[in-house]
């Protein structure tokens, strides 16, 4: 098991409070608000009042966070550039609206125009290839570096393929993910496949494929 996957499961069990039984699944707000360092702030956008209440009840009281019951796209853009001069934006929408990909693509473009060094992480299902490609192309064009990750777990029911785009990724992320590909291969009855592509802009503002795995 790779160090990346092992570290994830260690933190998962710490946050879920589980021994053999998992009492609840700790989502991204739990990961972001536990282990914060001095000067970090976490802003959570949640439009559903019931979920907002549960977040207030679950998240650590000593951490620096706030739950904002407003549209995540518009509210996040209104707060860029961040006063700390660095920002990590996680976009994980439910994809309940037909125009979600268009909104994500537009958001990614505007966010990087407002704060060029922002690390934008976008998760998305891969069903409509054209929509996925438009989002990925926006990340490649707008960001200095962009990492595109695809996970395919083969044939079957339900969601079988998904992707993650990371703009301006940490320099160790590609290597750590590449080392964990064997762990993902166990998914989908041993048919899991994790593919990685790292792009960077050249001096003449063209896009170049740096690494692929």
């Amino acid at each position: 098991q790779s160090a990346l996957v092992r570290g994830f499961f260690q933190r998962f069990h710490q946050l879920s409070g589980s021994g053999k039984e998992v009492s609840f699944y700790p989502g991204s707000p739990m990961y972001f608000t536990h282990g914060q360092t001095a000067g970090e702030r976490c802003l959570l956008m949640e439009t559903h009042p019931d979920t907002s209440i549960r977040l207030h009840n679950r998240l650590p009281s000593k951490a620096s966070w706030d739950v904002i019951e407003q549209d995540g796209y518009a509210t996040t853009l209104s707060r860029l550039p961040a006063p700390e001069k660095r920002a990590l934006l996680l976009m994980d929408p439910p994809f309940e609206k037909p125009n979600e990909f268009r909104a994500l693509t537009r958001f990614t473009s505007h966010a990087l125009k407002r704060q060029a060094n922002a690390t934008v992480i976008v998760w998305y299902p891969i069903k409509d290839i054209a929509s996925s490609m438009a989002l990925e192309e926006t990340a490649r064009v707008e960001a200095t570096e962009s990492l595109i990750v695809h996970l395919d777990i083969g044939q079957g029911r339900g969601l079988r393929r998904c992707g993650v785009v990371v703009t301006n990724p940490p320099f160790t992320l590609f290597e750590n993910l590449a080392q964990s590909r064997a762990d993902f291969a166990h998914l989908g009855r041993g048919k899991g496949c994790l593919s990685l592509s790292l792009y960077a802009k050249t001096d003449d503002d063209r896009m170049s494929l740096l690494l692929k795995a």
Side-chain angles (χ1 to χ4, degrees), residues 168-179:
N168 303 309
F171 72 95
T172 59
L173 183 57
F174 180 93
E175 180 181 355
N176 287 335
L177 283 171
Q179 292 174 352

Side-chain angles (χ1 to χ4, degrees), residues 1-17:
Q1 194 176 67
S2 67
L4 183 70
V5 172
R6 186 166 58 252
F8 169 80
F9 279 114
Q10 288 174 349
R11 178 55 65 92
F12 173 84
H13 289 297
Q14 290 172 359
L15 296 180
S16 63

Side-chain angles (χ1 to χ4, degrees), residues 19-190:
K20 293 183 179 180
E21 297 292 331
V22 176
S23 55
F24 74 99
Y25 182 84
S28 54
M30 295 287 288
Y31 287 94
F32 276 108
T33 54
H34 281 76
Q36 279 182 313
T37 60
E40 289 183 341
R41 296 181 301 128
C42 183
L43 301 180
L44 306 167
M45 312 301 169
E46 179 52 65
T47 57
H48 296 283
D50 291 344
T51 304
S52 177
I53 292 173
R54 287 198 295 270
L55 285 171
H56 277 95
N57 293 335
R58 282 283 191 182
L59 298 181
S61 59
K62 294 182 179 180
S64 176
W65 55 267
D66 191 16
V67 179
I68 302 171
E69 293 184 30
Q70 296 177 7
D71 175 72
Y73 294 119
T75 306
T76 302
L77 288 176
S78 72
R79 293 170 180 262
L80 296 176
E84 294 87 352
K85 302 187 185 302
R86 62 193 183 103
L88 172 63
L89 314 176
L90 173 63
M91 307 304 294
D92 182 20
F95 286 91
E96 296 170 345
K97 301 177 181 178
N99 66 338
E100 201 76 73
F101 262 109
R102 190 179 307 165
L104 266 177
T105 302
R106 185 168 57 247
F107 169 85
T108 302
S109 177
H110 288 315
L112 291 168
K113 283 182 171 66
R114 288 173 179 250
Q115 185 157 351
N117 70 339
T119 296
V120 184
I121 305 174
V122 181
W123 177 91
Y124 51 98
I126 299 178
K127 296 179 179 178
D128 178 359
I129 299 298
S131 297
S132 302
M133 290 180 64
L135 173 62
E136 294 166 5
E137 178 66 13
T138 296
R140 287 194 294 264
V141 170
E142 300 290 351
T144 302
E145 284 194 0
S146 56
L147 174 62
I148 297 174
V149 183
H150 288 171
L151 176 62
D152 189 333
I153 58 173
Q155 300 297 318
R157 296 181 179 179
L159 180 63
R160 314 301 292 178
R161 297 183 67 200
C162 65
V164 174
V165 165
V166 186
T167 68
N168 303 309
F171 72 95
T172 59
L173 183 57
F174 180 93
E175 180 181 355
N176 287 335
L177 283 171
Q179 292 174 352
S180 68
R181 292 182 72 204
D183 297 309
F184 287 92
H186 294 296
L187 299 174
R189 297 181 180 179

